[in-house]
Amino acid sequence: MSGVSGVSGVSGVSGAHAAPPAGAAGGKAGPVAPKLVVLLVADQFRADNLTRLGPIFDPGGLRRLLQKGASAIGHYGQQNTYTGPGHALIATGSYGYLNGITQNKFWNQRSGRSESMLYDDNIKILGSKKQSADDDNSPRNLIGSTVFDELRLLRRESKVVAVALKGRGAILLAGHLGQAYFFSDQGEMTSSTFYMNQLPEWVQKWNSQKLVDKAFGTPWERLLPADKYLTPDDSPHESSLMGLGRTFPHPTTGGLPGPGPAYYETVAYTPIGLDAEMSFVRAALAGEKLGQGAATDVLAISISSTDLVGHLYGPFSQEYQDMALRLDRAVASLLAELEKRFKPGELLVAFTADHGATPIPDEVAENHMLAGRIKKDTIKSTVQKALGAQFGIQGEWVTALEDPSIYLSAKLIAQAKVDPLLVEEAAGKALLELPGVLTFVTRTQLLRGWLPPTDVATAVARSYFPPRAGDLVVVPAPFYFWGKYGENEKGSSHGSFYRYDTDVPVIFYGPWFQPGEFGVIEMVDFAATLAHALKLTPPAACAGRPVTTMLRPIQR
Ligand SMILES: [Zn+2]
């Protein structure tokens, strides 16, 4: 796997791009290709944030995009609403069963361990001292093309640069032909040997400023007076991490006397991380001269901090609201800068999110609704006990638990000498006894097409990629979840096919789009619509259709 070198050092292309911008085209001629596409993905951002928080948003940020752009509610039609699958679906317009990115982590049969879905054994993260199975580092496991791969396939001089604090956020938006930059465990921005063997000079220069180290100890204060937020600051169900605490002002030292690993881990949960990311975005614009070449360039930004704050404090917390406000102001200031630099018709902006957020289950439970967390140990012991009893074989029936997949032992299934479906069903039926388990779908059911005619079965099937999926998929009831965040007693998560997790904002902005509100669209339509506006072939496995009502007529 060789690095992609076409992104930097573009030269010798001149005069090929004579088309004037939309404003100059006049008359009936539609807009031409933009110089720069900015894709903004808010990590964990529900559609209703725009209406609930709208009044405290900046008039120049998301509100401006909403007023001047084409907007809709985007619906994820697949079960696994996690960061990896969300970003993969945004970029490819395809469901996980085709793009292969169905969970954040999976049990890798070949290596015999749980790994990040984007872990790549042949690749190293630049500047990282140690690489673990949890680290994301290449798009190797992403199947098919992304919308920006299609752009680069057509015009290799187009540059595609993706930035996020989380590896998977940047890598999946960069696709196979772009370049991804993400935050390292050393407090710097980095990339992997998939893309390059050495960080470009502009990245090294940005890192040498040590902005994150300089911000050490700056407490996280509210942006607005406390009474402007929709909820009180403290809740006993909010979590904390390495000294961040539950209330404002949040100390940001990671419990250390100076910058170090624990501090770098907390950075992404605070405005220090967001500010660093947006500073790096500006460095990328200048360093790669984005939008200054002959072909359309892309800057894809996944804003990671909203997700981390949502996990710790929940989607209704003051902390989440404050981070959303900061995201909105970051959008406002970037937009103002870009609109000074680019004329109308040169800049296309798209905004969306990779998934929504579940309310903190313990708060929901206090309101007399069924809600809670399902523990991995409970799932494991329930399955072990049921299968041991039914098939008379004691042993490690559960190989791994990576939500929403349960991986069973192939060896013990073989020893049982029965149709695997019987083993899977016995495990599933036992789990139905647990509070919060709504239903289950098994590997054999999915492979044989024996699915009930329900929306949930369809959503599970769309998120099921057999080589990486488990033998059993657990479907929790609304307001229940399991997995990494189900193990905690506090905070929240996402990952279901319920509306709080599936519905996100979609905004397209620029003269290619018809301003207005366009109801609900499927998220697989996002890439199709973007591809259509850019006059590109849709991504290979795209399941969506361009939302033509959102588009202005294309110049033929
Ligand atoms: Zn996410």
Side-chain angles (χ1 to χ4, degrees):
M1 189 114 28
S2 67
V4 178
S5 60
V7 168
S8 51
V10 175
S11 62
V13 182
S14 61
H17 185 74
K28 287 173 194 154
V32 297
K35 285 181 172 295
L36 182 67
V37 174
V38 176
L39 169 60
L40 291 152
V41 177
D43 199 317
Q44 188 178 137
F45 199 97
R46 283 198 205 159
D48 55 290
N49 283 345
L50 288 182
T51 43
R52 266 183 321 111
L53 303 176
I56 48 176
F57 278 161
D58 190 292
L62 296 173
R63 272 165 64 182
R64 182 170 149 76
L65 290 180
L66 270 176
Q67 280 157 6
K68 307 261 176 176
S71 66
I73 291 172
H75 174 255
Y76 280 97
Q78 64 180 12
Q79 143 100 3
N80 298 2
T81 46
Y82 305 103
T83 298
H87 282 79
L89 191 148
I90 289 169
T92 63
S94 63
Y95 295 112
Y97 81 96
L98 288 174
N99 69 44
I101 307 300
T102 49
Q103 300 170 188
N104 283 340
K105 286 185 77 181
F106 77 115
W107 172 259
N108 187 337
Q109 282 179 1
R110 252 177 291 168
S111 60
R113 62 175 189 175
S114 285
E115 287 175 4
S116 161
M117 192 60 100
L118 302 182
Y119 182 81
D120 187 341
D121 212 16
N122 303 311
I123 296 302
K124 292 270 170 285
I125 294 178
L126 293 167
S128 184
K129 297 221 165 64
K130 54 181 191 312
Q131 188 168 310
S132 83
D134 287 339
D135 284 324
D136 298 316
N137 50 21
S138 99
R140 180 191 53 144
N141 282 351
L142 177 67
I143 298 163
S145 60
T146 68
V147 63
F148 302 137
D149 285 340
E150 294 294 337
L151 175 74
R152 291 259 299 153
L153 285 172
L154 201 64
R155 295 199 70 173
R156 204 43 86 98
E157 63 269 38
S158 283
K159 303 173 196 176
V160 174
V161 176
V163 176
L165 296 179
K166 287 187 193 178
R168 69 193 64 147
I171 289 165
L172 291 165
L173 296 185
H176 302 91
L177 297 177
Q179 298 214 327
Y181 294 100
F182 43 90
F183 195 56
S184 80
D185 54 6
Q186 308 298 308
E188 298 186 330
M189 291 300 286
T190 191
S191 189
S192 92
T193 54
F194 179 84
Y195 306 100
M196 60 194 82
N197 292 318
Q198 191 183 325
L199 292 171
E201 213 169 295
W202 65 265
V203 179
Q204 294 182 32
K205 210 171 130 202
W206 187 88
N207 281 335
S208 71
Q209 296 176 72
K210 297 268 169 210
L211 291 182
V212 168
D213 284 5
K214 280 179 191 156
F216 177 82
T218 314
W220 174 12
E221 309 261 16
R222 287 181 202 87
L223 205 56
L224 301 179
D227 63 1
K228 296 282 181 203
Y229 297 79
L230 309 178
T231 51
D233 186 5
D234 198 17
S235 154
H237 306 300
E238 290 184 357
S239 192
S240 175
L241 181 87
M242 293 182 215
L244 274 175
R246 272 182 6 207
T247 52
F248 285 102
H250 294 275
T252 57
T253 61
L256 300 176
Y263 167 63
Y264 298 140
E265 205 181 323
T266 57
V267 159
Y269 291 79
T270 72
I272 297 172
L274 174 65
D275 292 348
E277 186 177 349
M278 296 314 288
S279 160
F280 187 82
V281 159
R282 285 167 171 81
L285 272 166
E288 294 291 344
K289 298 188 168 57
L290 295 176
Q292 296 177 38
T296 299
D297 292 336
V298 175
L299 175 61
I301 310 162
S302 171
I303 298 177
S304 309
S305 295
T306 31
D307 181 66
L308 299 163
V309 169
H311 279 295
L312 274 193
Y313 303 105
F316 298 126
S317 62
Q318 279 201 4
E319 286 82 358
Y320 183 84
Q321 291 169 59
D322 195 69
M323 194 55 86
L325 286 179
R326 287 170 186 275
L327 177 152
D328 175 61
R329 276 154 176 74
V331 171
S333 96
L334 185 65
L335 198 59
E337 267 180 60
L338 291 172
E339 292 200 313
K340 261 185 224 152
R341 208 176 303 175
F342 296 96
K343 295 192 200 82
E346 295 182 342
L347 178 68
L348 188 160
V349 179
F351 175 77
T352 190
D354 60 342
H355 51 75
T358 311
I360 296 180
D362 317 83
E363 285 178 0
V364 177
E366 279 179 354
N367 288 296
H368 312 295
M369 283 182 270
L370 293 171
R373 298 157 199 269
I374 310 166
K375 301 288 178 190
K376 284 186 178 184
D377 269 353
T378 313
I379 293 175
K380 187 173 174 177
S381 61
T382 303
V383 171
Q384 303 259 110
K385 206 174 132 201
L387 298 187
Q390 181 147 349
F391 299 101
I393 303 169
Q394 302 306 320
E396 283 294 306
W397 278 99
V398 177
T399 304
L401 297 167
E402 295 297 344
D403 51 308
S405 274
I406 298 177
Y407 299 81
L408 298 175
S409 162
K411 204 176 106 200
L412 295 189
I413 292 177
Q415 271 182 36
K417 292 194 173 68
V418 293
D419 185 336
L421 182 64
L422 296 180
V423 180
E424 297 158 4
E425 278 188 345
K429 280 177 185 160
L431 290 173
L432 288 180
E433 301 298 317
L434 298 180
V437 175
L438 184 90
T439 186
F440 65 91
V441 181
T442 80
R443 166 179 288 268
T444 307
Q445 253 185 308
L446 282 152
L447 294 184
R448 293 179 189 166
W450 294 346
L451 289 175
T454 59
D455 288 346
V456 64
T458 303
V460 169
R462 284 172 172 168
S463 275
Y464 195 85
F465 183 71
R468 297 174 196 157
D471 298 283
L472 204 63
V473 174
V474 179
V475 180
F479 308 117
Y480 284 85
F481 52 78
W482 68 281
K484 182 178 166 191
Y485 294 96
E487 297 301 283
N488 301 342
E489 299 301 327
K490 295 174 179 185
S492 199
S493 196
H494 48 82
S496 76
F497 91 121
Y498 302 116
R499 301 300 290 269
Y500 48 70
D501 283 340
T502 56
D503 289 9
V504 297
V506 167
I507 311 175
F508 291 113
Y509 174 85
W512 303 267
F513 305 101
Q514 192 67 50
E517 285 184 43
F518 295 89
V520 181
I521 67 168
E522 283 300 317
M523 275 308 289
V524 287
D525 297 337
F526 182 89
T529 305
L530 195 54
H532 193 78
L534 295 172
K535 300 184 184 175
L536 296 172
T537 314
C542 184
R545 300 284 182 272
V547 183
T548 51
T549 48
M550 296 178 93
L551 287 153
R552 286 238 180 104
I554 293 256
Q555 185 185 14
R556 304 280 170 196

